[in-house]
Amino acid sequence: MRLALVLGEVGQGLRRNLSMVVSVVLVTFISLTFVGTAILLQAQINQMKSYWYDRAQVAVYFCTDFSSVGTCNQTAATPEQVAAVEAQLDSATLAPFIDAYYFEDRDQAFENFQTQFEGNAIASLVTPELMTEAYWVNLVDPTQSQILADALSGLAGVESVVDQRSYLDQIFDILNASSFTAIGIAALMLVAAALLIATTIRLSAFSRRRELGIMRLVGASNRFIQTPFVIEGVVAALIGSILAAGAVVAIVEFFVQGYLSQTLPQTSFVGLDDALLVVPVLLGVGALLAALSANVAISRYLRV
Amino acid sequence: MIRFDEVTKVYRGTAKPALNSVSLEVLSGEFVFMVGASGSGKSSMLRLVLKEDRPSSGAIHVLGQDLNRISSRKIPYFRRNLGVVFQDFRLLPNKTVFANVAFTLQVIGKSKGFIHEAVPDVLAMVGLEGKAERFPHELSGGEQQRVAIARAVVNKPSILLADEPTGNLDPTTSMGIMTLLERINANGTTVIMATHDAGIVDRLQRRVVELVGGRVVRDERGGGYVTQAIPHVQPDIVIPAAGPREGLR
């Protein structure tokens, strides 16, 4: 009986304010799509970080006849100097941090270069003499590259010690910036959604002020008076949340999985399982936001 | 039943109090007329009884509850013991007579069975049998006020507050409404009625409380709209010579 009455009131309110309800649906839809995208972007960044950081190596480059950087003086590193570096890598101080390492001589470097830049004009200009000898080191903990840099960069014949992660960090910075932009837009849109829900509920309450007055007069409990309005807001916001969830799942299914991972097969992308994890978050945020702002909006009508 | 102790009410932004140190006791089963000019504080008193407002100072007890101490969560339950009727009826225009009366029972959670028993009973009591499916705009003013009274008493309240219930009605219809209110009073409901209608007050000869400028200047049992006895005036009150109350001139 009471449930039917409450639901009847909700239906009446939704119909009476249809245009406002549609705008609430649209604004929550857009804002929560941004929220979902931001969450997925963060997940993507973390996934790529853990994938690439594990593969990132530290390169110990040796001097060539052409370099004047570091300890180099336009003379190539001698085999003794290379051996000294290897001795350092094997020493008791550095060995515990190192997972594996290998030496890449000029010919190997040249070969790698040729395959990497195949078809590029630069490939034909480079000769093996221009290439740099290097030790490629995999660390046990990839974040501790500074130890290697400190220990080796002062040694004779070492041009530089480079952590590949420094290249990756630039890419991640860009991705992070776009993720934060999405979060910022999402936050602004959520504020707009909350205000719009509050306005809609206030409008709905105003159009029912006669009923509200009588309800208060005859002693309807506050909970009974406010429940239809809260449900009204939550229903509108939930429709928007469901649309947003659908949009997020569609983006992952058709754009990320259907297009991006076909184009860039080596990279691992967020999958449908990640998107499905985001769905309850979106529904929860939408419902909570609506319930809170509707509650605040209606409380004015309940004050004694 | 209702007790005002030194109640003062000052509305925000006004210097002159709407009620100035009013003390009054209404016993169970009484029928009380509150008379006085517009702005003399009648409606303020009714609002305070309903706990729609809180007094600036003083204590109000209604049905054994101290209204200054009642928690806002309990106010709705407190109000279920009070019925209210207004000059402008305040019916819901898109609901039938039956639905208007049933609405008050629905929102306080009464069962469908109870509603279908109580509403026809109360409509018969106010003399509206056969008009349950009419809409308010299809009824005369007197009939609309009967619907409002039915709505106010359907939950069998202990107190019925009526704020100028005959203010919009012609004298004959007004008398019909008064007969109805007397019948409700005879069934044990305390009735407090604010009114300007001298004819009604004079005819019924009930307790009359007269307010002037927020003060009780007369409290007379079996009185008329204008007192026959020497008025019980508090000494510090100066009644304006050219006041709006024709009665004292």
Side-chain angles (χ1 to χ4, degrees):
Chain A
M1 179 70 205
R2 289 196 78 174
L3 185 73
L5 189 70
V6 168
L7 292 183
E9 296 269 320
V10 172
Q12 216 180 46
L14 289 175
R15 271 197 306 278
R16 228 184 271 191
N17 281 317
L18 197 60
S19 60
M20 286 300 272
V21 169
V22 169
S23 60
V24 167
V25 168
L26 290 179
V27 171
T28 32
F29 168 36
I30 304 293
S31 57
L32 289 177
T33 306
F34 271 104
V35 172
T37 314
I39 295 173
L40 283 180
L41 207 50
Q42 275 300 326
Q44 177 66 42
I45 291 167
N46 285 335
Q47 204 164 329
M48 283 172 74
K49 263 188 183 161
S50 59
Y51 181 87
W52 287 111
Y53 275 8
D54 282 352
R55 279 157 187 74
Q57 294 168 316
V58 179
V60 181
Y61 290 112
F62 289 102
C63 294
T64 60
D65 289 332
F66 314 99
S67 75
S68 53
V69 199
T71 55
C72 307
N73 199 9
Q74 299 205 336
T75 40
T78 60
E80 290 76 33
Q81 287 169 335
V82 175
V85 169
E86 182 163 4
Q88 276 290 322
L89 290 175
D90 285 332
S91 72
T93 30
L94 286 184
F97 299 105
I98 292 170
D99 184 34
Y101 68 87
Y102 62 88
F103 184 70
E104 185 185 58
D105 64 21
R106 287 202 177 88
D107 291 330
Q108 286 165 336
F110 180 70
E111 256 171 61
N112 285 342
F113 189 87
Q114 290 296 330
T115 44
Q116 214 167 1
F117 289 91
E118 206 179 328
N120 194 316
I122 199 169
S124 53
L125 295 174
V126 171
T127 57
E129 286 70 46
L130 288 172
M131 301 310 294
T132 318
E133 293 174 313
Y135 271 111
W136 289 97
V137 184
N138 288 54
L139 291 173
V140 175
D141 178 357
T143 58
Q144 291 172 325
S145 63
Q146 194 57 40
I147 296 172
L148 224 56
D150 291 343
L152 301 178
S153 44
L155 290 183
V158 173
E159 186 192 72
S160 58
V161 179
V162 175
D163 185 354
Q164 283 187 319
R165 296 198 319 150
S166 60
Y167 302 130
L168 294 174
D169 281 343
Q170 288 176 3
I171 300 168
F172 290 135
D173 281 347
I174 294 169
L175 284 174
N176 260 326
S178 52
S179 155
F180 286 134
T181 311
I183 290 172
I185 294 174
L188 279 179
M189 294 291 287
L190 283 179
V191 171
L195 291 176
L196 195 62
I197 291 167
T199 311
T200 306
I201 294 308
R202 234 171 251 151
L203 211 65
S204 181
F206 185 75
S207 70
R208 268 185 277 170
R209 62 193 181 286
R210 281 167 178 278
E211 280 91 339
L212 283 178
I214 289 166
M215 282 188 191
R216 281 187 40 187
L217 214 57
V218 302
S221 63
N222 283 351
R223 187 190 302 260
F224 179 80
I225 295 175
Q226 75 197 99
T227 304
F229 293 101
V230 174
I231 294 181
E232 198 178 316
V234 168
V235 166
L238 267 184
I239 297 174
S241 315
I242 291 168
L243 289 177
V248 167
V249 169
I251 287 172
V252 168
E253 174 70 22
F254 297 113
F255 177 67
V256 178
Q257 292 297 329
Y259 172 74
L260 277 185
S261 44
Q262 307 299 319
T263 339
L264 305 164
Q266 316 91 319
T267 319
S268 89
F269 284 104
V270 286
L272 216 50
D273 46 340
D274 297 288
L276 291 178
L277 277 181
V278 173
V279 167
V281 174
L282 296 186
L283 297 186
V285 169
L288 200 70
L289 185 81
L292 284 180
S293 47
N295 233 320
V296 171
I298 196 66
S299 63
R300 204 171 74 91
Y301 282 86
L302 301 176
R303 227 175 286 148
V304 226
Chain B
M1 182 116 294
I2 299 176
R3 203 173 80 225
F4 277 57
D5 287 319
E6 302 285 314
V7 172
T8 297
K9 174 70 194 176
V10 185
Y11 287 106
R12 221 183 303 168
T14 56
K16 209 167 143 272
L19 287 177
N20 193 348
S21 184
V22 168
S23 294
L24 182 74
E25 176 144 27
V26 177
L27 300 176
S28 180
E30 273 194 297
F31 195 119
V32 182
F33 284 117
M34 301 220 311
V35 298
S38 299
S40 60
K42 305 187 300 289
S43 296
S44 292
M45 281 188 80
L46 295 185
R47 284 174 61 80
L48 288 174
V49 173
L50 264 174
K51 184 72 175 129
E52 285 208 73
D53 247 325
R54 45 173 49 252
S56 309
S57 70
I60 302 171
H61 287 81
V62 178
L63 297 166
Q65 305 238 38
D66 182 348
L67 292 197
N68 286 340
R69 295 202 180 169
I70 190 168
S71 74
S72 58
R73 222 156 37 84
K74 291 217 174 105
I75 291 173
Y77 301 95
F78 161 73
R79 286 192 184 143
R80 292 180 190 185
N81 301 309
L82 305 173
V84 197
V85 181
F86 299 96
Q87 181 175 5
D88 56 356
F89 320 138
R90 301 206 187 165
L91 301 176
L92 299 176
N94 53 347
K95 287 190 194 292
T96 63
V97 168
F98 183 92
N100 260 289
V101 179
F103 182 68
T104 69
L105 293 176
Q106 284 169 346
V107 300
I108 60 173
K110 296 288 186 192
S111 73
K112 213 170 198 161
F114 179 86
I115 290 170
H116 278 275
E117 227 166 78
V119 176
D121 278 359
V122 78
L123 286 180
M125 197 266 277
V126 301
L128 286 175
E129 56 268 88
K131 302 202 168 161
E133 294 313 313
R134 302 279 191 90
F135 283 90
H137 63 88
E138 299 170 338
L139 300 174
S140 72
E143 287 170 327
Q144 290 189 39
Q145 191 61 293
R146 282 170 193 270
V147 178
I149 292 171
R151 182 179 67 191
V153 300
V154 67
N155 197 29
K156 308 234 178 304
S158 324
I159 301 172
L160 178 64
L161 304 174
D163 194 354
E164 302 188 30
T166 59
N168 279 350
L169 305 174
D170 63 72
T172 320
T173 313
S174 295
M175 278 324 292
I177 295 293
M178 290 319 296
T179 314
L180 179 56
L181 290 181
E182 284 200 286
R183 184 137 35 97
I184 289 164
N185 177 239
N187 286 338
T189 302
T190 309
V191 178
I192 299 179
M193 173 169 158
T195 187
H196 289 298
D197 194 329
I200 286 173
V201 180
D202 288 340
R203 187 139 8 145
L204 264 66
Q205 291 292 308
R206 299 292 190 138
R207 180 178 173 187
V208 178
V209 173
E210 182 171 354
L211 289 167
V212 173
R215 292 224 182 215
V216 176
V217 297
R218 173 162 68 110
D219 187 350
E220 191 179 8
R221 265 156 230 279
Y225 192 74
V226 183
T227 181
Q228 310 298 319
I230 300 159
H232 163 70
V233 177
Q234 289 169 17
D236 57 329
I237 283 282
V238 181
I239 297 166
R245 299 175 315 128
E246 296 99 48
L248 278 181
R249 249 184 278 166

